[in-house]
Structures are given as structure tokens and as C-alpha cells.
Amino acid sequence: MLIKHSKKSQLKESQLTSESIYKDRRNIIKSLGLAALTFPFAKPVSAALFDVFSEEKSNDVTFKRSPLNFTKNTNYQSLTPLTPENKVLQYNNFYEFGTGKGDPFQYSQQFKVDPWSLTIDGLVDKPITLNYEDLLKKFDIEERLYRMRCVEAWSMNIPWLGFTLATLLKQVGVKSDAKYVRFETVYDPEQMRGQSSKFIGGSINFPYVEGLTIEEAMNPLVLLSVGLYGKTLAPQNGAPIRLVVPWKYGFKSIKSIVKITLTDKQPRNTWQAIGPDEYGFYANVNPRVDHPRWSQKNERIIAEGNVFQQERKKTLMFNGYEEEVAHLYKDMDLLRHF
Ligand SMILES: Nc1nc2c(c(=O)[nH]1)N[C@H]1C(S)=C(S)[C@@H](COP(=O)(O)O)O[C@H]1N2
Ligand SMILES: [Mo]
């Protein structure tokens, strides 16, 4: 009886899922009911377990990362313990390559990062396009150890390499009517399996888009990262260049950027478009604002060993960067502007 019952409900769920991809994305979550628990930012337990046990996945070809020249920024060197490099490289969110934590590593090793083209345009004095070499050579690269807090309630400590977004924005000259910065990830379904299938790509409408206010973008904490752990980025971490905004949930730190546009309109970011009740524009780490489906008061620290048997710690307001960024939101109701 029980077995039969569970089979029947499984069948129902998969039928619903396949029908739903033809519906308006905004209706998917509602129409699925319980099955909506599988996404966004979640997946069936069996699949999640598979990721853990397949941690030591081998690839025929592993992307080659090159050593970078950099200086250590002494203001951001004390953060312990660092997340082991293999976890930073193999426990990822990058829906362009699939929704499983192991998918980005498994399916991105042949991703081409050179040639690359990053255009900065919109409300700027001097629009520019940077090629792959420019990204690594045009700016002085520094190392900063930052906390990263995913909206799914896990966290890492990562030694990033990069330069501040403010450095780049000052170089192109921001016009006075620019109020927001919009970022866009590369769109290349032939190289990114998630972009060619709604199932594989977690029902996202690609390209992935993110945004910051000008004041946020100019904050000296915001990095454009081109590397980590002393070497250039791997594709699964957003090679050749990605954003790092340490006081916001990880999904704001958009990967593999091809376009940065200065604009007077608030960009509609990818996760807000999918679930406006669950993900906002600001997405500041805030233990007082729970996700509708889980608490944000604590986080699982990704360290050595099984990713589900980790120590937990209390989540800090603005992910511990309150001193640097609280002034940006002093007149804002953070319960409403989540
Ligand atoms: N283009 C793109 N950028 C993305 C994502 C994504 O799916 N696509 N995932 C985000 C999420 S949810 C997190 S937590 C971080 C994870 O970065 P990492 O895998 O390098 O640790 O990347 C963010 N940037
Ligand atoms: Mo995330």
C-alpha cells in the first residue's frame, strides 16, 4: 500500500513538472504546490546525496588555472579557517551548468574563457570593451579573504583575487544621472547546458542578470574577481571575471560577466524575477529576515568533510560587514526592502 502510494505520488509530481514548463514562470511555483520545495535553490534529497558521494568526480580534462601576480590587501587577511580549495572548486551554484552542487565542476571544464569580451556601457563618459588579457593585466590585482553567505544558509571563507568595481567605474566615468549598475552573464547555450534546457537550468530565463545601486557599486568592498587561491578562476567559479559582494547573499555575486551597464532604472535581477516574494533586489544578509521556506539565523560552514555534517554558526547582520555598509541603508526599512 505505502509503496504503491508513494509511486503514484511520484508520477504525479513528474507529470506536473513537465507540464509546468509550458506555463508562465510566475505560475510554476504556485501550481506545483509541495513540489515547489524542489526549487529554486533546492533539490530532491536523493540528488543532493548523490552530490556528496560523488565529491571526488574525475574529469578527463580539467580546466587549467594560471598563477596570478597580486598583492595581499592587509585589511582583509584575517579570516579563519579558509574553506578548503577543493570545496570552493566543487561545491557550487552556477545554474548555467545545472542545479546540482557538483554540476558546475562536472560540466564546465571545457568552457572557453579566452577570447572574452566585457563591455561597460550605458550612462558612462567613455564606454569600453575589455578583452581576456585586459581583465588580468589592466588593473592591479589584490587578494582579499571574504566571507560568502549563500541564501540557502551555507557559507564559505574564500581568498579572492581581483580589483574593486569602483576602480573600473572611475575609469569609464559614471554620468550623474546613473543610479544603478546592471550586470549580465554570458549567454552561450552550446557551452552551458543549463541554458539550453529549463529542466537543467532550474527554470531560469537566461541570461542571468544582477544589479546594484551606484552607492553600493562604489563601496570599496565590491570586487570584480579574476581569481582565487592564487590562480585565475575556474569556469565553475565564474571565469574569467565575476562579481563579489560579500555583505549580500551569494546570488548577487554574478559569474562570467560580459556586460556592465550604467542605468537610471532598477534592474530586475534573475532571482527576484523568479520569486519576488522570496528574493528581493537588495538581498542583504540579514538574520532577522527569514526566507519564506527556511530560517536565515544560522549557517552551515562548508569545511573539510561531508558538507551536510558541518558545524553551524550564527549568521551576522550584513554578513559581518556592518561597519562598512550599514550607512548605505540607514533610511531604509530592511524588513520591506529585503
Ligand atoms: N551567472 C550566475 N551567477 C551566479 C549563480 C548562477 O547560478 N549563475 N549562482 C549564484 C549563487 S546562488 C552563489 S551562492 C554564488 C556561488 O559562487 P561559487 O560557486 O563560486 O562559490 O554564485 C552566484 N552567481
Ligand atoms: Mo547562493
Short mmCIF file of all heavy atoms in Angstrom, two decimals, residues 41 93 149-152 154 249-251, ligand 2:
data_model
loop_
_atom_site.label_atom_id
_atom_site.label_comp_id
_atom_site.label_asym_id
_atom_site.label_seq_id
_atom_site.Cartn_x
_atom_site.Cartn_y
_atom_site.Cartn_z
N PHE A 41 16.68 26.92 -5.60
CA PHE A 41 17.70 26.72 -4.58
C PHE A 41 17.47 25.50 -3.73
O PHE A 41 17.71 25.50 -2.54
CB PHE A 41 17.82 27.94 -3.67
CG PHE A 41 18.43 29.12 -4.34
CD1 PHE A 41 17.72 30.31 -4.43
CD2 PHE A 41 19.70 29.06 -4.86
CE1 PHE A 41 18.29 31.41 -5.02
CE2 PHE A 41 20.27 30.16 -5.47
CZ PHE A 41 19.56 31.33 -5.55
N ASN A 93 27.14 26.90 -6.91
CA ASN A 93 25.89 27.24 -7.57
C ASN A 93 26.23 27.99 -8.84
O ASN A 93 26.87 29.05 -8.80
CB ASN A 93 25.02 28.15 -6.68
CG ASN A 93 24.15 27.36 -5.73
OD1 ASN A 93 23.76 26.23 -6.03
ND2 ASN A 93 23.83 27.95 -4.59
N ARG A 149 28.09 34.11 2.02
CA ARG A 149 26.91 33.51 2.63
C ARG A 149 25.86 33.28 1.54
O ARG A 149 25.31 34.23 0.97
CB ARG A 149 26.39 34.44 3.72
CG ARG A 149 25.03 34.13 4.34
CD ARG A 149 24.96 32.77 4.99
NE ARG A 149 23.91 32.68 6.00
CZ ARG A 149 22.61 32.47 5.74
NH1 ARG A 149 22.19 32.32 4.50
NH2 ARG A 149 21.74 32.41 6.74
N CYS A 150 25.59 32.02 1.24
CA CYS A 150 24.55 31.69 0.25
C CYS A 150 23.18 31.83 0.91
O CYS A 150 23.02 31.56 2.10
CB CYS A 150 24.73 30.29 -0.28
SG CYS A 150 23.44 29.77 -1.44
N VAL A 151 22.18 32.22 0.12
CA VAL A 151 20.80 32.36 0.62
C VAL A 151 20.26 31.00 1.10
O VAL A 151 19.32 30.96 1.88
CB VAL A 151 19.91 32.98 -0.50
CG1 VAL A 151 19.60 31.95 -1.58
CG2 VAL A 151 18.63 33.59 0.05
N GLU A 152 20.90 29.90 0.68
CA GLU A 152 20.49 28.56 1.11
C GLU A 152 21.02 28.21 2.51
O GLU A 152 20.88 27.07 2.94
CB GLU A 152 21.01 27.51 0.13
CG GLU A 152 20.48 27.64 -1.28
CD GLU A 152 21.32 26.86 -2.28
OE1 GLU A 152 22.53 26.68 -2.08
OE2 GLU A 152 20.75 26.43 -3.30
N TRP A 154 24.27 28.25 3.76
CA TRP A 154 25.61 27.71 3.96
C TRP A 154 26.61 28.82 3.63
O TRP A 154 26.25 29.81 2.99
CB TRP A 154 25.88 26.45 3.12
CG TRP A 154 25.59 26.57 1.65
CD1 TRP A 154 24.44 26.21 1.01
CD2 TRP A 154 26.47 27.08 0.63
NE1 TRP A 154 24.53 26.47 -0.34
CE2 TRP A 154 25.77 27.00 -0.61
CE3 TRP A 154 27.76 27.60 0.62
CZ2 TRP A 154 26.32 27.42 -1.82
CZ3 TRP A 154 28.31 28.01 -0.59
CH2 TRP A 154 27.60 27.92 -1.79
N TYR A 249 23.64 38.17 -0.12
CA TYR A 249 23.56 36.74 -0.41
C TYR A 249 24.31 36.43 -1.71
O TYR A 249 24.38 37.27 -2.62
CB TYR A 249 22.10 36.29 -0.48
CG TYR A 249 21.44 36.30 0.88
CD1 TYR A 249 20.34 37.10 1.16
CD2 TYR A 249 21.97 35.52 1.92
CE1 TYR A 249 19.76 37.12 2.42
CE2 TYR A 249 21.39 35.54 3.19
CZ TYR A 249 20.29 36.34 3.43
OH TYR A 249 19.74 36.36 4.69
N GLY A 250 24.87 35.22 -1.75
CA GLY A 250 25.75 34.81 -2.84
C GLY A 250 25.18 35.02 -4.23
O GLY A 250 25.94 35.27 -5.17
N PHE A 251 23.85 34.96 -4.37
CA PHE A 251 23.31 35.06 -5.73
C PHE A 251 23.52 36.42 -6.37
O PHE A 251 23.42 36.56 -7.59
CB PHE A 251 21.83 34.61 -5.78
CG PHE A 251 20.82 35.50 -5.10
CD1 PHE A 251 20.32 36.63 -5.74
CD2 PHE A 251 20.36 35.20 -3.82
CE1 PHE A 251 19.37 37.44 -5.13
CE2 PHE A 251 19.40 36.00 -3.20
CZ PHE A 251 18.91 37.13 -3.85
MO MO B 2 23.60 31.12 -3.41
#
